[in-house]
Structures are given as C-alpha cells and as structure tokens.
C-alpha cells in the first residue's frame, strides 16, 4: 500500500461528521465535500496519508479555496483539555467536582449549590438567540474555517452558563462537527471500504458482512501468503502447489479483496506503480493564479519479459467460481484493479482465476472450453493481419480457459470459502472433493438456519450411520445422506459482534444506537481423507498373569508381622 497520495488512486476523506467519502484523485480537478466546501485535488497530491486538512475560504487575491494542515496538538486539543470554563466565575467557584469527573447536585445547609447536574435544564430552542438566517449570513462572511462561527453560536446561547462541563463539551463538539470545515485523508483498505458500504451504501450488496465476521472468516480459513514457487517433486510425484484457495463470492469482490490483502496481492508493488512527473507547473489559464499540475504517467515497459499472462500463476492464487457469464468484482476497482480492463502489472491479473459453475461441472457444454479449429502454418502465413490476430487471440483464450478448468477440476486446494445466497449443500457437494486433506472449509450466511442444516449433514451421528450402513454403490446424495459425512470433520458454527461503548467516568455504557441488520454466522470444518476398506487394529502383546487376591493379602500380612518383630527386637536391645 502506498504511503502518499498518488494521482488517479482512490482515497477516503473522513469528514467532521464521521462520514466517509470515497473519491478518485484525478489531477487538476475540484473535489466537493458538500456543506464543508471544496478544494483542489492538486493541493494534496504527493502528501502522506492520515493528515488533517482545513479548508480556508477564498480571498481577494485567490478565487480558489486553499488548505491548511492541522497539527496533531490542535486536532486533539479538546481531548487534552479536561476542564471547560463556565461563563460566570462566581458560579464556577461554587461548583465542586466529585473527583471522578462526575458532577452531582448537592446543596449545603446554607442553600449554597456545591455540585449540580443538568437535570433541571430545559432544552429550549429559544436559548439560542441566533436564527438560521443569521447563521447562514455568518457562514458567508466566515473566512477562518468555521472557528469564528462556532464561537458566535456559543456566545449567543443564553443558557450556556447552566450547562455542566460535560454538557458544554458535548454541545461544543456537536457544533464543531456541523460547522468545522476539516477532513482527514486515509488510504482505501478493506476495513475502511467495509465501513463505508455499511454506513453510506447498501449493506445488502455485501450480504451484511461486518468487519469482525470478515476477520473470523479469514482466521478460520487460514488464508496467508503461499509463496511464489511450488515444492519440488519427490519420488516421481507431481509438484505441490501451495497457497491455492477456492472461493464462491457474491459480495461484489469484498471477500476476494480481504483474501488478497492477507495473501499480499491486493496492491501492486510500489516500484511498478505509475508515478507522476511534476517537472513543471503552469498558471491557470483562467487567471486565478492557481498552479495546475502537469502529470505524465510513466509505467514499466510492456514487453514480453515484464508482462504476465492472465491467470498464469500456479501458487498463491484465488480461484473464483461464479454463476454468471462474468464475475461481479466491482469493489476491486477501489484497489486499482478493473476486471473489465485489468492492469497487466497488478498481482491479481495473474493470481486471480475465475470460472463458471458450468465450466466446473460440465466443461464440454461450454463453448469457450471447445478447442478452436487448428489452421496449418502455411494457411496462417497467407492470412491478413487482423484475421491472423483474431486466430491467435482465440487460441490464447482457449488455452487459458482450458488450463484454469483442468487445474480446478484436478483439485488439491488449501481451503474453501463460500459467501453466497445459493444453497450451501449443493455447492459443498461439488467443491469439498476438490480440497486436499487438512484444508479448511468456511461458509458464511446471514442466517443460521442453512448452516445448522449443513452442520447436521456432517454430524457424528450421520457419519456413524454412513459407515455402519453405507448407501448401495455410493448412491448419494439421497434423502438420508445429502452429503458425504466422512469428508468433513469437526463442524462448528461461530458468530462475533463488537459493540461500541461510551467510556466516561460514571457514564460508561454501550451505545444505544448502532447499525442493525442480520447477525451473520460462519460454518467451519476440516477436510479429511477417509480410509478406504475395513480398518482393523493389529499388534502383538503379552497376556499378563492373573494374581490371586488371597495370596496377595497373606503376603502383605506376613510382611507386616516381620516388621513388628523387628521393632520388638530393636526395643529389647535398647
């Protein structure tokens, strides 16, 4: 992942209202963030991430808004300052704190208020003397990024002196989120993209997967970097390819992105990424005095040595099974990978494979699996350039599809991850035999009912019944055995939910407002290779002698009598 903002890359802007806005950093463009204003994207290109910027208004010398970097001390000043001064100094002296940050209402015998709360404060809109018309007029006159406006609003509040320190801080923070024109730039990663979809977009498109559930899926599936080379063959056995995972993803590519992030193939290496040549700048032709960034995108030379063929990697790969003509991987666009026109230098171009269910189950019925007509070399030499190019393009497409389908049907995958609305029983019937021994199986579902049914099919009771009275000629799936219960071991169902808490002295409690949606459950199991034939326990062992209990008791009695006689002899000698 980059350390600084690159041109044409997607970035995330976190606004004071805690909302996230995803934009593409296209040079020489203006980014609008709603009521907070707008700014030129050239002002933040090349700067590091996680900086907080403040939008400054236009001046007489410049028609464009400018930016100011907010220091860390200034951004977190409200956290460091624990006390908030009240308007009346005499009232401030009369108010005492309990020492734990909580204010209570306590009156001494003389009637003097020692401690208080906001129990008797009536929240009335008439306490604010400024109307919306006045606030809008102040916003148009404001040139200091909203600070003066917030000060005016606090000054015009008639009941501000009645608030407790906590209430005043809460009121000030609420006005700062509304009027302070700041934003923080973050890189787009999987957790941030997930938060943006859950809060700002439609969670149903990603099956309402939360961050903790996505982490649970990655942990149980044991997704990790698998290396770039295969293990050499031993004893004339085929080479072992490590780091191959089988995926069924109907979340728009979110699950594939989370796996690719763990495998180290989500972002291209920094030395291969496009960079911007900022050798010169020109003045704005509109006469605004704003410098325009002249960008020259440079990429690595696309020769046969530097290019990698699509879906050509053998290790550290993700094989995606989809039900449509093309897989839905729209969310990978935010990570600089467009499935419709992929970047040849991106790792996913070689490490992400895809095939349809038709190609997996019935490859001969798919037209792309059929071999094109073979044309002799003599005829090829007589073809025109366009026709010859189409012929070689069809051959390369067929070779790619055939290689992916054949290697997938050969099996040997290190794990299976499913996040789909389809019936998991039908999918696992065809995909579990493709896994090697010890591979992990993870199935996500928003509801628990499909997973509970799946856990019953692989339960110990069904496995025992299957081994005791197997189906005739392995005739399954059937009514009693929809799946082969001997292929998976230790089925279990898990869920996880992280709840946000407000942690304040005397006011610690879970937040009452939060995102709803389904709970989300994860089914896990381990692929095993059942032993073929009858299993018997063999070995040579010696039979131990049976000792008579009466003889043991008499022997022990003789020993005790001897011990007593020895004691008597010792006493007599003394």
């Amino acid at each position: 992942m980059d350390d600084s903002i690159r041109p044409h890359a997607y970035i995330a802007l976190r606004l004071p209202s805690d909302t996230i806005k995803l934009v593409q950093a296209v040079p020489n463009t203006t980014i609008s963030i709603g009521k907070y204003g707008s700014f030129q994207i050239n002002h933040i290109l090349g700067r590091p991430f996680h900086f907080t910027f403040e939008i400054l208004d236009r001046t007489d010398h410049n028609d464009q808004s400018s930016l100011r970097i907010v220091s860390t001390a200034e951004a977190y000043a409200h956290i460091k300052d624990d006390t908030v001064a009240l308007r009346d100094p005499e009232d401030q002296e009369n108010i005492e704190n309990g020492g734990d940050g909580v204010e209570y209402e306590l009156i001494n015998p003389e009637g003097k208020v020692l401690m208080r709360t906001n129990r008797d404060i009536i929240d009335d809109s008439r306490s604010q003397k400024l109307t919306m018309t006045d606030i809008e007029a102040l916003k148009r006159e404001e040139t200091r990024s909203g600070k003066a406006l917030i000060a005016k609003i606090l000054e015009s509040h008639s009941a501000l002196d009645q608030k407790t320190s906590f209430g005043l801080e809460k009121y000030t923070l609420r006005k700062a989120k509304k009027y302070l024109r700041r934003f923080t730039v973050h890189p787009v990663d999987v957790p941030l993209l997930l938060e943006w979809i859950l809060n700002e977009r439609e969670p149903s498109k990603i099956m309402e997967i939360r961050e903790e559930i996505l982490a649970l899926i990655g942990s149980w599936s044991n997704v990790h970097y698998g290396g770039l080379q295969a293990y050499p063959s031993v004893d004339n056995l085929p080479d072992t390819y490590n780091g191959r995972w089988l995926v069924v993803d109907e979340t728009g590519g979110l699950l594939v992105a989370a796996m690719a992030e763990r495998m180290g193939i989500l972002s291209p290496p920094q030395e291969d990424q496009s960079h911007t040549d900022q050798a010169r700048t020109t003045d704005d032709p509109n006469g605004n005095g704003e410098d325009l960034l002249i960008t020259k995108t440079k990429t690595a030379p696309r020769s046969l040595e530097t290019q990698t063929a699509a879906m050509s990697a053998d290790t550290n790969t993700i094989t995606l099974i989809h039900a449509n003509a093309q897989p839905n991987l729209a969310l990978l666009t935010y990570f600089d990978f467009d499935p419709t026109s992929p970047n040849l230098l991106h790792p996913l171009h070689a490490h992400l494979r895809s095939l349809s269910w038709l190609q997996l189950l019935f490859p001969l019925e798919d037209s792309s699996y059929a071999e094109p007509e073979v044309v002799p070399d003599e005829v090829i030499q007589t073809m025109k350039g366009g026709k010859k190019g189409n012929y070689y393009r069809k051959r390369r497409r067929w070779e790619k599809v055939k290689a992916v389908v054949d290697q997938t049907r050969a099996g040997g995958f290190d794990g299976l991850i499913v996040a789909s609305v389809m019936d998991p029983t039908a999918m696992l019937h065809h995909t579990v035999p493709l896994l090697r021994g010890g591979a992990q199986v993870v199935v996500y579902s928003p509801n628990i009912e499909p997973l509970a049914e799946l856990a019953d099919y692989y339960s110990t009771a069904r496995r025992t019944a299957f081994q005791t009275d197997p189906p005739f000629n392995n005739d399954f799936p059937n009514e009693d055995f929809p799946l082969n219960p001997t292929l998976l071991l230790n089925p279990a169902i898990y869920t996880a939910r992280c709840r946000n808490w407000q942690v304040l002295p005397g006011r610690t409690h879970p937040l009452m407002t939060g995102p709803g949606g389904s709970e989300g459950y994860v089914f896990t199991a381990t692929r095993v290779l059942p032993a073929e034939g009858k299993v018997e326990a063999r070995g040579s062992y010696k039979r131990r002698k049976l000792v008579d209990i009466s003889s043991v008791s008499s022997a022990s009695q003789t020993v005790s009598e001897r011990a007593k006689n020895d004691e008597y002899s010792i006493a007599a000698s003394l």
Side-chain angles (χ1 to χ4, degrees), residues 213-255:
I213 290 292
L214 195 61
L216 196 65
I217 293 173
S219 298
W220 277 108
S221 59
N222 193 24
V223 177
H224 60 278
Y225 176 72
L228 298 178
Q229 295 181 354
Y231 294 121
S233 59
V234 180
D235 297 334
N236 297 325
L237 295 176
D239 294 345
T240 303
Y241 298 102
N242 192 25
R244 300 170 63 232
W245 275 270
L246 197 61
V247 186
V248 181
D249 183 10
E250 293 187 6
T251 62
L254 179 66
L255 187 59

Side-chain angles (χ1 to χ4, degrees), residues 423-425 445-457 493 521:
D423 183 17
T425 303
S445 176
N447 307 314
I448 195 175
E449 288 77 12
L451 303 185
E453 185 178 1
L454 200 63
D456 177 62
Y457 293 155
I493 299 177
Y521 300 89

Side-chain angles (χ1 to χ4, degrees), residues 112-231:
K112 186 178 180 180
V113 178
L114 299 180
M115 301 181 186
R116 61 176 178 142
T117 64
N118 56 359
R119 180 186 304 173
D120 299 329
I121 298 177
I122 300 176
D123 190 6
D124 192 357
S125 59
R126 291 175 296 180
S127 301
Q128 179 57 253
K129 298 179 181 180
L130 290 178
T131 62
M132 289 303 300
T133 306
D134 300 335
I135 294 177
E136 291 297 330
L138 290 174
K139 288 172 64 177
R140 289 190 294 268
E141 297 174 0
E142 175 61 35
T143 58
R144 290 189 299 172
S145 70
K147 292 182 179 180
L149 176 59
I150 297 174
K152 284 282 186 181
I153 293 175
L154 295 178
E155 185 180 355
S156 302
H157 200 287
S158 60
L160 196 67
D161 56 344
Q162 301 177 8
K163 293 182 177 294
T164 63
S165 60
F166 174 71
L168 179 59
E169 183 180 358
K170 191 175 181 179
Y171 180 79
T172 306
L173 183 61
R174 186 167 65 248
K175 297 304 176 183
K177 289 183 177 181
K178 188 174 182 180
Y179 297 109
L180 203 60
R181 295 184 292 177
R182 292 178 179 177
F183 64 91
T184 306
V185 185
H186 296 278
V188 179
D189 53 8
V190 175
L192 191 141
L193 180 64
L194 183 59
E195 179 185 356
W196 175 68
I197 296 174
L198 291 177
N199 298 332
E200 310 294 335
R201 288 295 182 266
E202 300 180 17
S204 59
K205 292 186 176 180
I206 59 171
M207 301 180 64
E208 300 180 354
I209 295 183
R210 301 187 307 276
E211 183 178 357
E212 51 269 25
I213 290 292
L214 195 61
L216 196 65
I217 293 173
S219 298
W220 277 108
S221 59
N222 193 24
V223 177
H224 60 278
Y225 176 72
L228 298 178
Q229 295 181 354
Y231 294 121

Side-chain angles (χ1 to χ4, degrees), residues 35 54 69 191 210 283 359 362 371 429 500 530:
K35 64 180 181 181
E54 196 172 67
I69 298 179
R210 301 187 307 276
D283 293 335
Q359 293 173 341
F362 309 101
E371 184 180 3
H429 173 67
N500 295 327

Side-chain angles (χ1 to χ4, degrees), residues 17 23 80 123 201 213 272 326 343 446 574:
S17 59
V23 297
K80 295 181 179 180
D123 190 6
R201 288 295 182 266
I213 290 292
D272 292 339
Q326 295 293 333
N343 181 9
L574 293 176

Side-chain angles (χ1 to χ4, degrees), residues 437-568:
Q440 296 296 320
V441 177
V442 178
V443 182
Y444 167 79
S445 176
N447 307 314
I448 195 175
E449 288 77 12
L451 303 185
E453 185 178 1
L454 200 63
D456 177 62
Y457 293 155
Y458 289 105
S459 61
T460 305
R462 287 187 183 265
R463 183 166 57 252
T464 304
F466 185 88
Q467 294 174 347
T468 303
D469 187 13
F472 181 73
N473 291 332
N474 288 333
D475 186 16
F476 69 92
N478 52 38
E479 185 178 356
D480 295 330
F481 303 103
L483 296 170
N484 188 350
T486 62
L487 298 183
L488 293 183
L489 194 65
N490 192 23
I493 299 177
Y494 299 93
T495 185
R497 177 180 285 272
C498 297
R499 178 167 294 179
N500 295 327
W501 283 61
Q502 171 185 288
V503 182
L504 291 172
R507 294 179 293 271
T508 300
H509 59 80
L511 297 182
M512 298 296 104
T513 58
S518 59
E519 185 72 15
Y521 300 89
V522 175
F523 168 85
T524 64
T526 304
R527 172 76 161 98
V528 293
L529 302 177
E532 298 181 357
K534 187 177 180 180
V535 179
E536 296 180 355
R538 295 182 179 180
S540 59
Y541 61 94
K542 295 182 178 179
R543 187 180 182 89
R544 294 184 179 181
K545 284 186 177 182
L546 296 178
V547 181
D548 189 6
I549 300 177
S550 59
S551 61
V552 174
S553 60
S554 61
S556 61
Q557 185 177 3
T558 305
V559 172
S560 60
E561 291 178 355
R562 290 179 180 177
K564 289 181 180 180
N565 294 333
D566 294 339
E567 292 178 0
Y568 293 152

